[in-house]
Amino acid sequence: VQLVESGGGSVQTGGSLRLACVVSGDTWRTNCMGWSRHAPGKAREGGASIDRPGLTSYADTVKGRFTISRDNAKNTLYLQMKDLKPEGSGMYYCAADEGVAGCAWYSRFEYWGKGILVTVSL
């Protein structure tokens, strides 16, 4: 499974960005997909997840501001982010898993993209 993120960049506080992640390879292994953020010097922070039928899960820190979605026909995962804050800066990673143990934003994901940088300035 290969995951390639796009759509990152710089935005001012309160702005919006839309990330995309294209999946290739054994796409049948990607029943559960998610996004998470790693800021420098910090552990992985929660983001969002979505299973193949479309059930979503969000960390409290992004609930109401981020929307995760997927287009199964296009093998693409999206993350619409609005009202971005400076603490939301960091590398955003697309992740996938077969989801045998369930699917939530805090799930263990087997496959990871290389990440894409999002910078939110004041």
Side-chain angles (χ1 to χ4, degrees), residues 41-114:
K42 296 185 178 181
R44 166 190 168 191
E45 294 182 282
S49 69
I50 185 169
D51 66 11
R52 194 173 291 278
L55 184 64
T56 58
S57 169
Y58 295 93
D60 287 343
T61 51
V62 304
K63 197 174 295 183
R65 297 185 299 115
F66 289 11
T67 302
I68 189 170
S69 61
R70 63 190 293 172
D71 185 330
N72 294 324
K74 295 182 178 180
N75 293 318
T76 303
L77 178 73
Y78 302 99
L79 184 69
Q80 178 67 52
M81 305 183 290
K82 65 178 183 179
D83 191 23
L84 283 162
K85 306 175 187 299
E87 54 266 35
S89 296
M91 291 293 290
Y92 282 73
Y93 294 86
C94 172
D97 193 78
E98 290 189 44
V100 174
C103 186
W105 66 265
Y106 50 82
S107 292
R108 177 189 176 278
F109 292 94
E110 182 70 22
Y111 309 104
W112 291 85
K114 293 183 178 181

Side-chain angles (χ1 to χ4, degrees), residues 14-55:
S16 299
L17 278 176
R18 188 192 196 204
L19 306 182
C21 172
V22 175
V23 184
S24 60
D26 293 336
T27 57
W28 62 270
R29 296 183 183 274
T30 62
N31 295 319
C32 179
M33 297 197 70
W35 291 95
S36 64
R37 181 179 73 248
H38 297 228
K42 296 185 178 181
R44 166 190 168 191
E45 294 182 282
S49 69
I50 185 169
D51 66 11
R52 194 173 291 278
L55 184 64

